[in-house]
Amino acid sequence: MRRRNLSVVLGAVAAHGPLTRPLSRADVAARVGLTRAAVSSLVDELIGRGALTEAETAPDGRVGRPGRALSVSDRGPAGLGLEIGVTHLGACVVDLRGEPRVWRRAERANAGRPAGQVLAEIAALAAEAEAEARDLGLRVEGRVLAVPGVVPNEAVGRIERAPNLDWRSVGVADHWPDQDTVPEPENEANLGALAEYWNAEQAEETFVHVSAEAGIGAALVIDGQLFRGVRGFAGELGHIPVYPDGVRCACGARGCLEQYAGQAAVLREAGLEQHGRQGDPVALLAERAGAGHAPTLAALDRAGRALGLALASAVDLIDPDGLVLGGIYAELAEWLLPSVRAELADRVRVRPWAPEALRPSALGRRGPVLGAAQTTIRRIMADPTLLPAG
Amino acid sequence: MRRRNLSVVLGAVAAHGPLTRPLSRADVAARVGLTRAAVSSLVDELIGRGALTEAETAPDGRVGRPGRALSVSDRGPAGLGLEIGVTHLGACVVDLRGEPRVWRRAERANAGRPAGQVLAEIAALAAEAEAEARDLGLRVEGRVLAVPGVVPNEAVGRIERAPNLDWRSVGVADHWPDQDTVPEPENEANLGALAEYWNAEQAEETFVHVSAEAGIGAALVIDGQLFRGVRGFAGELGHIPVYPDGVRCACGARGCLEQYAGQAAVLREAGLEQHGRQGDPVALLAERAGAGHAPTLAALDRAGRALGLALASAVDLIDPDGLVLGGIYAELAEWLLPSVRAELADRVRVRPWAPEALRPSALGRRGPVLGAAQTTIRRIMADPTLLPAG
């Protein structure tokens, strides 16, 4: 009960959002419907645990004495998000307000490299990010690692398969240098979808979020909850057969979406495979498309058509409120949206479907690592006793 | 609280199942963890409402005096299920044990006929079934109508669209002769899936159930609950694009599953379109396939391949425990299973998938009408106060 009330009080302060006027203990009591004495005791505990701060405010003129204003702490408890991409490593630290305070990103060709080597490198990046966070007065309370692979529901800390890295059954702890800081792996598409739900101004309650990097993943949020499927494999959009007799995929099947709308396929179709090896291939695609480069425009149109076909199946099966294009697709949305929307309009005929129900994510490629970092914050907000008592 | 306890006691008696030995009030008290006095009061109320019966049992030899045995009533409360198919009308009455007691089925070419005419005919069939049920001592407490169309979550009693009947926005009550017996419409695929969940010996908790009649529908059961989607349109399997540049569908799109695996498409491909107009087309297909008729075998193989493609998308997106082929597919399973399983094996490569996770329904074409009838029983079992007090 007290645990729940701690969460309610912390949530009320967080919901106050951008400070229009100072929020007092009495204000919080009025909002949450508890007595002022009960709220004061809860606030004291939350201050002790480092979740809230209380500052003197300047007298506001009307009342002669200074007030005291509560806010969610921007020092103390923090969440670390890590990400292993096919072509990069990333780290992010968010404070208890959910605000990113530290970002790290390093380009790395991770495909086919041994898991131990990559995990040692991301551990080093994590240590750097934690050190920088410490300098800001932040203390990392939880660590989550976004990976481009499946993380089964039943296996703790194990990446079952990451096809684009060519990894199978990798236990993260087995390769982590410091057993006190081992992160919990989670599928990057799942984390991207959660980040969208937590951060979008008007997030749908039931939506399909597509999160493309080198591979294509998707995740289903149903009634505000991530739907992981029976084994944790739900949302495997990249291997939906869009053209059954089409191109052979690395997975062994033919005509998978990834062979038409994956980053490598788009670069190849645009004739930019060589150029793509230096610098940021997504920036390159955007630049060429913006300049009217016909093969790039054709490749993006083809990708959008294939994506529209796969998403038509998702709409038919799941009946979501919306579809969100995240990851690299968010940055290429200008050229993808028209063809994806056209394909959806052609395919979804029995039931109503509005073109605007498909939208790009505002987070783009930062989604998964941000979601990884915010996972810890969400857990603390739901149960502040996870924080050490002051 | 009492409502919940009534449900618990009724459930305990129902779970006793086939009578191995008589179940006494004391036995029930021991099972549900309530006092004998409390259980006796609940049992009295359930007897008064007609949900339970208590009979004298013969002395069992060991104990000298006769006992009293509780059982769920096979008289009294009942549920009526109705079904409008594209080529038939159906009715079924089940007693409180969930056992079907009355069946009615009439072949009718309903496609394109006015809704008022078809609804008047099913109302007449319903009245006949209710009369026969009355003769058995049964009293219909609720009525549900299975329809081959979408029934939106937000609209009460309205069939939004039934493409194979060519109906749009039909209010059932508007055409029903007796306002006291208006049934609640529900999508037939949803009811077929629920019937499978309620009746199968070993039902999965999360599965996709395909329910084909003239059209192809599917329904998703997630953690034992029907997932209807945001608007009630989830599971629209028949219009998944399996061959994007394929045959034009009645819905306006190209290459929809229904154009390859729908009943009309299979009959056409088998060269049995004319024959199919007399008698039962499914029995005809089974007979020809059983006799080794090559065009029929080829048509079923083609249907199975297309179905496997659509189901591969469902497995990739939803990650279910199992897939169930219901409706006409259950009766054609012998010829469909090999090609559906082969296609799934070819397409589902990134994650494990066992061929046996696809199975035929034991209910076949009776599923939806049985599910419709049992819906009322399930509601009563969850809340026995829905029954009039004795």
Side-chain angles (χ1 to χ4, degrees):
Chain A
M1 192 59 172
R2 184 165 177 90
R3 188 177 303 203
R4 198 180 136 59
N5 284 340
L6 285 167
S7 170
V8 166
V9 167
L10 182 54
V13 178
H16 190 59
L19 293 170
T20 44
R21 69 175 195 84
L23 187 76
S24 69
R25 294 183 179 211
D27 295 333
V28 174
R31 277 176 205 200
V32 303
L34 292 169
T35 66
R36 187 145 174 204
V39 167
S40 260
S41 156
L42 295 163
V43 164
D44 286 340
E45 180 171 343
L46 289 167
I47 291 172
R49 291 185 188 271
L52 290 182
T53 57
E54 194 170 38
E56 297 258 326
T57 58
D60 68 359
R62 289 175 310 168
V63 183
R65 61 191 174 87
R68 282 152 70 75
L70 290 168
S71 56
V72 176
S73 185
D74 63 357
R75 297 173 64 85
L80 172 65
L82 300 170
E83 183 178 28
I84 296 176
V86 176
T87 59
H88 77 284
L89 300 175
C92 169
V93 178
V94 300
D95 63 26
L96 200 53
R97 302 170 309 168
E99 292 293 317
R101 303 288 295 282
V102 176
W103 287 106
R104 280 273 192 292
R105 189 180 165 101
E107 303 306 317
R108 289 278 193 295
N110 293 323
R113 285 172 69 209
Q117 203 176 329
V118 176
L119 285 164
E121 289 180 18
I122 186 88
L125 197 74
E128 278 176 43
E130 288 209 32
E132 189 178 335
R134 260 194 307 278
D135 292 344
L136 297 168
L138 294 165
R139 186 183 68 243
V140 168
E141 295 285 350
R143 297 157 186 89
V144 174
L145 170 62
V147 293
V150 287
V151 177
N153 291 340
E154 73 284 2
V156 175
R158 190 164 58 82
I159 305 160
E160 168 73 21
R161 189 167 174 194
N164 287 307
L165 295 173
D166 203 17
W167 291 5
R168 272 175 190 271
S169 198
V170 171
V172 175
D174 300 342
H175 303 281
W176 206 259
D178 177 355
Q179 291 303 304
D180 291 336
T181 62
V182 180
E184 173 189 333
E186 171 60 297
N187 175 267
E188 60 94 17
N190 287 350
L191 292 167
L194 287 172
E196 186 68 28
Y197 185 67
W198 292 334
N199 296 281
E201 298 225 340
Q202 286 194 300
E204 303 83 358
E205 288 295 308
T206 296
F207 64 96
V208 178
H209 182 267
V210 189
S211 178
E213 290 276 336
I216 300 172
L220 282 50
V221 172
I222 294 180
D223 292 334
Q225 299 289 320
L226 181 67
F227 176 73
R228 298 177 50 88
V230 169
R231 289 164 209 78
F233 297 167
E236 190 58 85
L237 196 78
H239 297 281
I240 280 195
V242 287
Y243 299 109
D245 302 317
V247 182
R248 177 75 69 185
C249 180
C251 79
R254 280 194 178 278
C256 296
L257 175 62
E258 211 156 281
Q259 294 305 315
Y260 300 87
Q263 181 176 300
V266 176
L267 284 169
R268 196 167 51 234
E269 192 75 8
L272 298 172
E273 221 170 352
Q274 295 306 317
H275 296 75
R277 294 209 181 123
Q278 296 104 37
D280 179 355
V282 183
L284 174 69
L285 285 169
E287 179 217 303
R288 294 294 166 102
H293 182 239
T296 300
L297 292 172
L300 287 169
D301 180 71
R302 176 173 172 267
R305 288 273 166 190
L307 196 51
L309 270 170
L311 288 175
S313 293
V315 169
D316 279 340
L317 285 171
I318 295 155
D319 183 21
D321 271 327
L323 301 172
V324 184
L325 295 187
I328 68 168
Y329 292 153
E331 293 167 42
L332 299 169
E334 182 179 344
W335 303 282
L336 288 171
L337 282 183
S339 52
V340 182
R341 285 182 171 155
E343 197 70 32
L344 282 165
D346 281 356
R347 302 289 173 181
V348 181
R349 307 292 286 256
V350 175
R351 28 113 12 108
W353 180 258
E356 316 79 60
L358 172 80
R359 63 175 177 81
S361 158
L363 301 171
R365 283 187 276 177
R366 289 169 308 148
V369 73
L370 186 62
Q374 288 179 338
T375 296
T376 296
I377 302 307
R378 288 274 158 172
R379 287 178 185 160
I380 293 170
M381 296 298 290
D383 178 7
T385 68
L386 292 173
L387 294 174
Chain B
M1 193 55 172
R2 184 165 176 90
R3 184 176 307 201
R4 198 180 135 60
N5 283 341
L6 285 167
S7 169
V8 166
V9 167
L10 181 53
V13 179
H16 191 58
L19 293 171
T20 45
R21 67 175 196 85
L23 188 77
S24 70
R25 294 183 181 213
D27 295 334
V28 174
R31 278 177 205 200
V32 303
L34 292 169
T35 66
R36 184 142 178 207
V39 166
S40 259
S41 156
L42 294 162
V43 163
D44 286 340
E45 179 170 343
L46 289 166
I47 290 172
R49 292 186 188 270
L52 289 183
T53 55
E54 194 170 38
E56 297 259 326
T57 57
D60 67 1
R62 288 176 310 166
V63 183
R65 62 191 173 87
R68 284 154 66 75
L70 290 169
S71 56
V72 176
S73 185
D74 62 357
R75 297 172 65 86
L80 173 66
L82 300 170
E83 183 177 28
I84 297 175
V86 177
T87 59
H88 77 283
L89 300 175
C92 169
V93 178
V94 299
D95 63 26
L96 200 53
R97 302 170 307 167
E99 292 294 317
R101 304 288 295 280
V102 177
W103 286 107
R104 280 272 193 292
R105 189 179 165 103
E107 303 306 316
R108 289 277 192 297
N110 293 324
R113 286 172 68 208
Q117 204 176 328
V118 176
L119 285 165
E121 288 180 18
I122 185 88
L125 198 74
E128 279 176 43
E130 288 209 33
E132 189 178 335
R134 261 194 307 277
D135 293 343
L136 297 169
L138 293 165
R139 185 182 70 242
V140 168
E141 296 285 349
R143 297 156 186 90
V144 174
L145 170 62
V147 293
V150 287
V151 177
N153 291 339
E154 73 285 3
V156 176
R158 189 164 59 81
I159 304 160
E160 168 73 21
R161 188 167 173 194
N164 287 308
L165 295 174
D166 203 17
W167 291 5
R168 270 175 191 271
S169 199
V170 171
V172 174
D174 300 342
H175 303 281
W176 205 259
D178 176 357
Q179 291 303 302
D180 291 336
T181 63
V182 180
E184 174 190 332
E186 171 59 297
N187 174 266
E188 59 95 17
N190 287 349
L191 292 167
L194 287 172
E196 185 67 27
Y197 185 66
W198 293 333
N199 296 281
E201 298 224 341
Q202 285 194 301
E204 301 84 356
E205 288 296 308
T206 296
F207 65 96
V208 178
H209 182 266
V210 189
S211 179
E213 291 277 334
I216 300 172
L220 282 48
V221 173
I222 294 180
D223 293 333
Q225 299 289 319
L226 182 67
F227 176 73
R228 297 177 51 88
V230 169
R231 290 164 207 77
F233 298 167
E236 190 58 87
L237 196 78
H239 297 281
I240 279 196
V242 286
Y243 299 110
D245 302 318
V247 182
R248 177 74 68 184
C249 180
C251 79
R254 279 193 179 278
C256 296
L257 175 62
E258 211 156 281
Q259 293 306 313
Y260 300 87
Q263 181 176 298
V266 177
L267 285 169
R268 195 166 55 233
E269 192 74 8
L272 298 172
E273 221 169 353
Q274 295 305 317
H275 297 75
R277 295 211 180 121
Q278 297 106 35
D280 179 355
V282 182
L284 174 69
L285 284 170
E287 178 216 305
R288 293 295 166 102
H293 182 239
T296 301
L297 292 172
L300 288 169
D301 180 72
R302 175 173 172 268
R305 288 272 166 191
L307 195 51
L309 271 171
L311 288 174
S313 293
V315 169
D316 279 339
L317 286 172
I318 295 156
D319 183 21
D321 271 326
L323 301 171
V324 183
L325 295 188
I328 67 169
Y329 292 153
E331 293 168 43
L332 299 169
E334 183 179 344
W335 303 282
L336 288 171
L337 282 183
S339 52
V340 181
R341 285 182 172 156
E343 198 69 32
L344 282 165
D346 280 357
R347 301 290 173 182
V348 181
R349 306 292 286 256
V350 175
R351 31 122 357 115
W353 180 258
E356 316 79 59
L358 172 79
R359 63 176 177 82
S361 159
L363 301 171
R365 283 187 277 177
R366 290 169 308 148
V369 73
L370 185 63
Q374 289 180 337
T375 295
T376 296
I377 301 308
R378 288 274 159 171
R379 287 177 186 161
I380 293 170
M381 296 298 290
D383 180 5
T385 67
L386 292 172
L387 293 174

